[in-house]
Amino acid sequence: MSDQGELETIEMEVALLMRRAEATRRAGEQAPHRALDRAAYLLLRRLAEHGPAQINALAEALGLDGSTVTRQVSALERDGLVERSKGPQDGRVILVSPTPAGLARVESVRQARVALYEQILANWDDADRTALSRLLARLNHDMDAVIRART
């Protein structure tokens, strides 16, 4: 296959992946992996893994606009999943932290998502799972670099 043909196949497969990932996420009205929308899940995962952060740091880490993250944080705060507090060294700094309920929710959703992918990839051997993991991380990293270079 030529480079152009490979790129066209990759483009189509990524488009199908995104469509099917969304369909999988929506499948099952009360499915545990649906307890958070994608934006809330990514924000809470970031906070759970890296600790309290300022809105601008969250926006930078997630590749989003600060106003978008502010709206997402406000929605999570209304739901009792995050809280804002003053920074310990500088009271002018506002930090966003997950609440115990937020940590529990994101962990529950993470476990449900892992179980879903375990089901999807049940017939894949370890080498293929490892390769997919590595290549998806590389694709996301390189996509992020292109996005950051354009802004």
Side-chain angles (χ1 to χ4, degrees), residues 51-96:
Q54 294 178 294
I55 296 283
N56 290 342
L58 289 169
E60 173 75 18
L62 298 173
L64 298 170
D65 182 75
S67 63
T68 300
V69 174
T70 298
R71 285 191 300 277
Q72 292 172 348
V73 166
S74 293
L76 290 169
E77 192 173 30
R78 278 191 304 277
D79 292 341
L81 302 176
V82 301
E83 60 190 6
R84 297 179 211 219
S85 61
K86 294 183 178 189
Q89 275 83 25
D90 185 346
R92 298 171 294 174
V93 171
I94 302 299
L95 295 175
V96 179

Side-chain angles (χ1 to χ4, degrees), residues 30-150:
Q30 299 299 322
H33 64 273
R34 291 189 62 195
L36 289 169
D37 67 28
R38 182 178 41 242
Y41 177 74
L42 290 172
L43 202 148
L44 279 169
R45 275 291 302 259
R46 177 76 189 180
L47 291 170
E49 291 175 8
H50 298 278
Q54 294 178 294
I55 296 283
N56 290 342
L58 289 169
E60 173 75 18
L62 298 173
L64 298 170
D65 182 75
S67 63
T68 300
V69 174
T70 298
R71 285 191 300 277
Q72 292 172 348
V73 166
S74 293
L76 290 169
E77 192 173 30
R78 278 191 304 277
D79 292 341
L81 302 176
V82 301
E83 60 190 6
R84 297 179 211 219
S85 61
K86 294 183 178 189
Q89 275 83 25
D90 185 346
R92 298 171 294 174
V93 171
I94 302 299
L95 295 175
V96 179
S97 303
T99 63
L103 289 173
R105 176 89 54 91
V106 76
E107 180 58 19
S108 172
V109 171
R110 187 195 65 74
Q111 288 178 9
R113 291 169 64 107
V114 167
L116 178 63
Y117 280 100
E118 186 172 36
Q119 177 186 1
I120 292 167
L121 301 173
N123 295 324
W124 290 42
D125 64 30
D126 288 344
D128 285 344
R129 286 183 183 200
T130 299
L132 179 63
S133 173
R134 182 180 54 78
L135 292 170
L136 284 173
R138 183 176 174 187
L139 178 62
N140 276 313
H141 176 271
D142 291 348
M143 289 174 88
D144 191 45
V146 168
I147 292 166
R148 289 179 192 280
R150 291 181 178 175

Side-chain angles (χ1 to χ4, degrees), residues 2-54:
S2 71
D3 284 348
Q4 188 63 34
E6 288 172 350
L7 292 175
E8 288 176 6
T9 298
I10 291 167
E11 180 277 325
M12 183 61 177
E13 292 299 329
V14 169
L16 288 169
L17 174 66
M18 292 168 56
R19 185 177 134 257
R20 288 184 178 128
E22 184 59 24
T24 300
R25 190 194 68 76
R26 288 191 316 258
E29 209 45 42
Q30 299 299 322
H33 64 273
R34 291 189 62 195
L36 289 169
D37 67 28
R38 182 178 41 242
Y41 177 74
L42 290 172
L43 202 148
L44 279 169
R45 275 291 302 259
R46 177 76 189 180
L47 291 170
E49 291 175 8
H50 298 278
Q54 294 178 294

